Amino acid sequence: MARNLLSDEATVAWIQSHLRGDPTSVESVQSLWSGYGEIVRVHLRGADVPSVIVKWVEPPHDMKHPRGWSGRASHDRKLKSYRVEQCFYSDWIANDTASHRTARCHSAEATGHGWRFLLEDLDAAGYPRRCMSLNSAQLDHCLRWLASFHAHFLHRKPTGLWRVGTYWHLATRKEELKALRDPKLRGAAPALDAALNRCQFRTLVHGDAKVANFCFGANDVAAVDFQYVGGGCGIKDVAYFLSSCLTDGECEAQAPQHLDTYFRFLRQHLAADVDGDAVEREWRALYPAAWADFHRFLAGWAPDHWKIHRYTRRMTEQALS
């Protein structure tokens, strides 16, 4: 159920201070993970846009997690993720992001109890579709978005963001590593992490680039959810994205062509003084390690997860060998 934002005069004034017009109604879009808040759509009258999105974060006192991971480390990680998202929207989003479209941020700020974000409604902006399975054109749109994002932020120091992006990175997932039953993968975890983090061509990674975090328009996509954006190797986003939208058999049959497509887009977006051959060589070589790194997290967090399939295991074995 959508929180009753319109009964709070301060919240109404906050919305009105950034957008002309008056809020008229509120509808729920979704709850945040583990009950940490809610995303709502606020309809407007007399404004330049018909609606706006409010992401309202209020961490609960009673921490719960759908899979039981609800300790202090999990809570602290989530709190930092919202600080990172506030920083990304406030300090990092440039005006020239046409080829890696994000929601325009009208306001991102901490409150006494959490955070609040006033964001462009991407549905109203022409990106109304959410997809769980993609056709080839839609998949290419997502790969182009990732390529543009990675090229744009190449060699940028992730000030105010995660030093190592992605929600599964090893330093923040010690409990999941301890629960991992595969001794070979557990023992290799530090080496996999080091290989990915010491790459020469570091960029910003989205950090949670699953298909559910892309909003689809007629001929383009926009991305949302920047809680785990930070430094790293761009191929981590690519491997994770493919894991979110391809089955085992599809990975086996299609992953090589999707990698080719991604690197073709990446070369189109890289600055003229960047050695595209060197970037591709390094990131392609780390593709199996990116899969294995995510496998390490997943096997400790949810060992029965559908993404732990034959292709995942094959990429992991290739990385470990």
Side-chain angles (χ1 to χ4, degrees):
M1 182 176 179
R3 59 181 298 135
N4 190 11
L5 297 180
L6 303 190
S7 66
D8 183 342
E9 292 183 1
T11 299
V12 171
W14 171 64
I15 295 172
Q16 290 174 325
S17 69
H18 295 282
L19 293 159
R20 291 194 296 271
D22 300 313
T24 58
S25 62
V26 179
E27 63 177 288
S28 179
V29 175
Q30 68 180 69
S31 297
L32 299 181
W33 187 254
S34 299
Y36 274 62
E38 188 177 14
I39 298 174
V40 300
R41 175 175 288 107
V42 179
H43 296 276
L44 303 169
R45 179 179 57 232
D48 294 336
V49 292
S51 55
V52 68
I53 295 295
V54 174
K55 182 173 182 177
W56 198 281
V57 183
E58 285 189 353
H61 297 293
D62 181 19
M63 294 177 286
K64 296 181 180 179
H65 189 282
R67 292 183 178 268
W69 302 97
S70 55
R72 173 54 58 180
S74 174
H75 179 66
D76 290 345
R77 183 175 58 250
K78 290 182 180 67
L79 295 185
K80 181 172 180 178
S81 79
Y82 291 114
R83 288 195 295 271
V84 165
E85 187 167 38
Q86 179 195 352
C87 177
F88 182 77
Y89 275 121
S90 298
D91 301 339
W92 280 84
I93 291 183
N95 295 322
D96 55 345
T97 58
S99 52
H100 48 273
R101 182 75 155 81
T102 61
R104 177 187 176 194
C105 181
H106 302 286
S107 177
E109 59 189 52
T111 67
H113 304 287
W115 290 264
R116 61 184 184 181
F117 301 83
L118 188 62
L119 302 169
E120 176 186 22
D121 183 356
L122 287 170
D123 280 16
Y127 299 89
R129 296 188 62 191
R130 310 294 181 268
C131 304
M132 292 310 296
S133 60
L134 305 181
N135 61 37
S136 59
Q138 290 169 331
L139 205 152
D140 285 357
H141 292 328
C142 294
L143 292 174
R144 182 185 291 277
W145 191 99
L146 290 172
S148 174
F149 188 83
H150 297 152
H152 185 78
F153 292 113
L154 191 68
H155 296 317
R156 297 280 298 277
K157 185 177 180 181
T159 304
L161 309 175
W162 291 96
R163 186 183 66 83
V164 179
T166 70
Y167 71 82
W168 62 90
H169 77 266
L170 183 60
T172 66
R173 294 293 183 169
K174 295 179 180 178
E175 293 179 2
E176 291 82 355
L177 181 66
K178 186 177 180 181
L180 178 58
R181 294 194 293 264
D182 182 340
K184 187 177 180 182
L185 183 53
R186 185 172 61 247
L192 291 168
D193 183 64
L196 289 163
N197 292 335
R198 67 170 176 251
C199 71
Q200 177 185 355
F201 296 99
R202 286 176 61 84
T203 184
L204 292 189
V205 294
H206 178 284
D208 193 8
K210 59 189 175 187
V211 66
N213 282 333
F214 285 96
C215 306
F216 292 82
N219 296 296
D220 197 6
V221 295
V224 297
D225 195 351
F226 292 93
Q227 291 174 228
Y228 292 95
V229 63
C233 179
I235 204 66
K236 293 198 295 184
D237 273 341
V238 179
Y240 175 70
F241 168 70
L242 294 179
S243 82
S244 77
C245 62
L246 298 180
T247 65
D248 180 19
E250 289 169 338
C251 284
E252 290 284 2
Q254 301 175 23
Q257 73 187 56
H258 295 315
L259 280 177
D260 289 345
T261 298
Y262 167 76
F263 282 113
R264 185 174 73 252
F265 289 148
L266 184 68
R267 287 170 178 272
Q268 292 172 4
H269 289 287
L270 286 172
D273 60 347
V274 175
D275 185 344
D277 289 338
V279 177
E280 181 170 351
R281 247 189 333 266
E282 180 181 63
W283 288 8
R284 270 191 187 271
L286 288 169
Y287 175 71
W291 270 92
D293 185 58
F294 182 58
H295 182 191
R296 174 268 309 160
F297 157 73
L298 207 56
W301 183 73
D304 58 346
H305 202 284
W306 70 268
K307 293 182 181 180
I308 304 177
H309 45 54
R310 180 181 55 182
Y311 183 82
T312 299
R313 293 189 179 94
R314 185 166 74 81
M315 288 296 102
T316 296
E317 284 302 315
Q318 187 172 330
L320 298 186
S321 66

